[in-house]
Amino acid sequence: MKSPLVAGCSGILLCFAATTVVASDDPLTIVVTASRGAETVDETLVPVTVVDREEIETTAVTSVPELLSSVPGVVVTSNGGRGQNTSLFLRGTESDHVLVLIDGVKAGSASLGTAPFQNIPIEQVEKVEVVRGPRSSLYGSEAIGGVIQIFTRRGGDGLKPSFYVGGGSHNTVDASAGVSGGSDQGWYSVHATSTSTDGYDVCRGDLNAGCFADEPDDDGYDNTSLALRGGGTLGEQFKFDASYLDSRSETEFDGTFQNETEAATQVGHLRGDYMVTGNWNSALLLGSSKDDSDNFLNGAFASRFDTQRDQVSWQNNVLLGKNNLVLGLDYLNDQVDSDTPFEVESRDNIGVFGSFRSTLGQGDLELSLRNDDNEQFGSETTGGIAYGHNLSAALRATAGYGTAFKAPTFNELYFPGFGNPDLTAETSESVDLGLSGNGQNSRWSVNLFQTRIDDLIAFDPVTFAPVNIGESTIVGAELASSVFVGYWTLGASLTLQDPQNTGGGIDDGNQLPRRPKEVLYLRADRDFGRWFVGGTLRSQGDSFDDPANQVELDGFNVVDLRAGWLVHPSWRLGLVVNNVFDEAYETAAYYPQDGVNGLVTLRYVSR
């Protein structure tokens, strides 16, 4: 049944957006992901959403997937509660069509092609930038739907200790402590976190259900993590920064072949920026990410999959009057180490890219071009063009076109008995039209987009192997707004999309799995001084769990409430009640989401 609230609120939000989608509240917020260079939100020529540390703490989200579910164009699905397998669909594209960066380093599994969002601790996150639309012309493979960059916490504003503890439903205990400090000349940040929960039975089915097991027990999750970050300057021409994130987790679930995973996510980088001249900056980044998992069945070892991605990026930004030229070179090496033998266990990719941005009167034009040479499947060239025109001081129109591609994963190419080494890259073409504006206390934007993906990699039921047989077309609109009225902070976003299989086969015309046509997000927060209250609404329309559209996922409306009290100027006591109306819903078939649940929190914020 279609979510009634989505249907009822769609027209209201259209009117709201046309008069007053959720981007940073501050138009001067600096973003770096969209163009691989520093620019403000208002200067970007592609849709960007920024969520900073203040908003993370205000909305009291407890995980990165929960945070990302508030972003226009994003649909998050999971196999149950905290720590369970999570997938993200950006603008209706596949879950492996989004590039994920952590502090500039490509993260995620080289064998699966996705990032473990559920294992990235929210207390380690400084801010998140979500770029919607193709960015392969700057970043290479995976950026068909867009790019998500997660920045870990940093210092630089003087000594600031931090502390957080929370406890609630399912014997959940969260804890975090850290310290940051320094100045622009030298800064540092150290934070450690821990999460433990008994969870609940994440699969409602039996031997014929999605989990292929009947295990009526609670499925717990434990995570410990450490994040280090620091940097500084040497003279007036050289600055550097480095980071390291280590997250280790244990997750229980239901399954026939395995029902427990011990995982480790490690990401580190070292970056140096050198001002060669007054208008030429040259930067070198060395990065590495690891995604390891040991899998068990009832305590007995079942399998091991370890992947590593090592990268080197050299980028040059040159100012030429009102023009900006970017030239760079990326090197990436992906490796798989597993007790399951792969025919090929390593591959290299070299990418050469460039972009040119010019100011033309009241408009800005950006051209970008990139070539990737991969030793497994050959060469791919992608490009993009974007134009933004200032209709007035508070109104801006944008238009863009871009091509992108996604390289086949190691599993798709070489998994024994399943892989197909003859696969080629998936490719796409996208267009975007946008209109945005800002007032003294409000911001809004509307974006229309269309993406066509060719050579989709899909499972062939005849050969029992992945093949390039698919095609999909996604047409949609994103609307978002944020407004400050008195002591109220209000936010809204609406995504309307038609993610359709257009491959011409037996599923031609069907809705792509797990991608609803309507997604609504509303937020309201009120500051009373020492007291503050707030709430969010997440509403989705119907979707399907399978390409044949035989397994339906009903739409839902979920309301979360929060309240807090400043016990002391630096101490906040909070209460979060999620799913207050105990809505029964699933984002993946047979895997129920949590019912009504709560968390009491205490946070120290340095002043």
Side-chain angles (χ1 to χ4, degrees):
M1 181 175 63
K2 187 179 295 296
S3 170
L5 203 54
V6 167
C9 291
S10 298
I12 297 175
L13 185 60
L14 283 167
C15 296
F16 180 41
T19 59
T20 54
V21 155
V22 176
S24 169
D25 297 328
D26 181 1
L28 298 180
T29 296
I30 300 298
V31 298
V32 299
T33 307
S35 63
R36 294 189 70 151
E39 58 186 350
T40 68
V41 169
D42 281 351
E43 291 173 334
T44 60
L45 300 179
V46 294
V48 179
T49 296
V50 182
V51 184
D52 60 18
R53 186 70 217 166
E54 181 178 359
E55 186 170 346
I56 291 171
E57 294 181 0
T58 299
T59 55
V61 293
T62 57
S63 68
V64 169
E66 184 182 356
L67 180 153
L68 292 171
S69 66
S70 69
V71 176
V74 171
V75 172
V76 176
T77 69
S78 71
N79 292 357
R82 269 220 220 177
Q84 300 298 324
N85 184 56
T86 299
S87 298
L88 184 145
F89 302 91
L90 183 52
R91 282 195 164 183
T93 60
E94 299 293 327
S95 59
D96 59 354
H97 287 174
V98 57
L99 174 64
V100 179
L101 306 173
I102 298 179
D103 292 331
V105 179
K106 287 191 174 185
S109 169
S111 57
L112 293 174
T114 56
F117 293 107
Q118 68 276 10
N119 292 329
I120 301 172
I122 192 69
E123 286 299 314
Q124 307 285 27
V125 176
E126 180 72 25
K127 72 170 181 174
V128 177
E129 296 178 4
V130 181
V131 182
R132 306 189 296 280
R135 292 279 88 186
S136 283
S137 58
L138 289 176
Y139 289 98
S141 175
E142 301 164 44
I144 290 179
V147 180
I148 296 175
Q149 179 151 204
I150 299 170
F151 296 89
T152 56
R153 296 177 74 163
R154 59 163 293 164
D157 299 322
L159 181 64
K160 287 188 176 182
S162 64
F163 173 81
Y164 168 83
V165 64
S169 301
H170 312 302
N171 291 323
T172 298
V173 178
D174 295 330
S176 175
V179 61
S180 62
S183 63
D184 290 339
Q185 284 70 46
W187 53 270
Y188 63 91
S189 175
V190 180
H191 284 84
T193 67
S194 174
T195 291
S196 176
T197 180
D198 290 346
Y200 59 92
D201 189 13
V202 298
C203 187
R204 65 175 171 83
D206 54 26
L207 296 179
N208 297 315
C211 52
F212 302 104
D214 184 14
E215 299 181 23
D217 61 341
D218 289 341
D219 297 301
Y221 174 69
D222 295 284
N223 178 281
T224 57
S225 64
L226 175 68
L228 310 173
R229 193 174 176 192
T233 60
L234 296 175
E236 297 182 355
Q237 292 179 283
F238 183 75
K239 62 180 180 179
F240 64 93
D241 67 272
S243 70
Y244 174 71
L245 172 66
D246 189 320
S247 172
R248 297 174 185 267
S249 63
E250 295 183 13
T251 308
E252 299 172 346
F253 49 93
D254 295 349
T256 303
F257 303 103
Q258 56 193 42
N259 54 17
E260 182 183 353
T261 293
E262 295 181 359
T265 299
Q266 299 169 295
V267 184
H269 92 280
L270 176 63
R271 176 187 171 104
D273 287 75
Y274 182 69
M275 288 298 300
V276 181
T277 66
N279 61 348
W280 174 16
N281 179 77
S282 185
L284 181 67
L285 180 142
L286 308 177
S288 181
S289 67
K290 298 182 67 176
D291 186 273
D292 299 343
S293 66
D294 291 338
N295 307 296
F296 305 85
L297 178 63
N298 299 325
F301 178 81
S303 62
R304 175 180 60 85
F305 293 91
D306 298 342
T307 70
Q308 182 166 332
R309 314 186 80 179
D310 297 323
Q311 84 179 68
V312 179
S313 293
W314 179 40
Q315 181 174 320
N316 297 271
N317 292 60
V318 183
L319 292 176
L320 304 172
K322 293 184 178 181
N323 306 317
N324 184 39
L325 177 66
V326 177
L327 297 172
L329 176 69
D330 289 335
Y331 169 80
L332 178 68
N333 174 259
D334 287 338
Q335 302 174 48
V336 173
D337 181 13
S338 170
D339 62 339
T340 300
F342 284 75
E343 180 181 342
V344 175
E345 298 179 337
S346 176
R347 68 180 179 191
D348 295 330
N349 187 95
I350 297 176
V352 180
F353 64 92
S355 71
F356 178 78
R357 177 162 173 160
S358 179
T359 299
L360 307 170
Q362 295 299 311
D364 295 287
L365 176 68
E366 182 181 77
L367 305 173
S368 55
L369 186 67
R370 178 179 173 117
N371 177 262
D372 284 271
D373 185 14
N374 189 288
E375 67 173 315
Q376 283 185 309
F377 60 87
S379 175
E380 287 287 341
T381 299
T382 51
I385 179 171
Y387 178 74
H389 190 82
N390 296 322
L391 302 175
S392 69
L395 190 63
R396 182 178 178 87
T398 58
Y401 167 83
T403 61
F405 79 100
K406 167 65 174 64
T409 66
F410 278 92
N411 280 1
E412 292 167 336
L413 288 163
Y414 301 117
F415 196 90
F418 171 81
N420 178 2
D422 296 324
L423 290 173
T424 60
E426 301 167 283
T427 60
S428 72
E429 293 182 279
S430 300
V431 294
D432 183 282
L433 299 175
L435 187 66
S436 62
N438 61 78
Q440 184 175 0
N441 297 305
S442 65
R443 290 178 56 78
W444 62 269
S445 63
V446 179
N447 287 88
L448 308 178
F449 64 90
Q450 175 176 296
T451 298
R452 190 189 72 185
I453 306 172
D454 295 318
D455 294 323
L456 265 177
I457 297 175
F459 179 76
D460 187 342
V462 177
T463 62
F464 295 99
V467 292
N468 292 104
I469 59 174
E471 177 184 298
S472 64
T473 302
I474 305 142
V475 179
E478 298 160 348
L479 305 93
S481 59
S482 59
V483 60
F484 303 93
V485 181
Y487 295 98
W488 286 93
T489 299
L490 306 175
S493 69
L494 174 67
T495 300
L496 303 172
Q497 59 184 8
D498 185 13
Q500 189 176 130
N501 185 322
T502 53
I506 59 174
D507 297 325
D508 184 64
N510 287 354
Q511 189 173 330
L512 296 176
R514 299 186 181 180
R515 274 150 282 188
K517 293 186 176 182
E518 310 94 359
V519 181
L520 174 68
Y521 175 83
L522 301 176
R523 169 199 170 189
D525 286 279
R526 174 64 158 90
D527 188 348
F528 292 93
R530 294 187 64 183
W531 289 89
F532 47 93
V533 297
T536 57
L537 165 71
R538 291 178 294 117
S539 184
Q540 289 187 188
D542 297 343
S543 60
F544 299 93
D545 197 67
D546 62 323
N549 288 184
Q550 298 299 306
V551 181
E552 186 172 357
L553 297 170
D554 290 340
F556 58 84
N557 307 301
V558 175
V559 175
D560 302 331
L561 299 179
R562 52 187 172 268
W565 175 40
L566 285 176
V567 183
H568 177 275
S570 296
W571 289 93
R572 298 178 183 176
L573 183 65
L575 172 65
V576 180
V577 181
N578 296 316
N579 196 1
V580 295
F581 298 113
D582 203 24
E583 178 90 342
Y585 70 104
E586 298 173 0
T587 57
Y590 309 108
Y591 293 93
Q593 296 298 300
D594 202 0
V596 60
N597 64 93
L599 193 71
V600 177
T601 65
L602 178 64
R603 183 184 297 277
Y604 174 83
V605 181
S606 179
R607 298 290 182 178

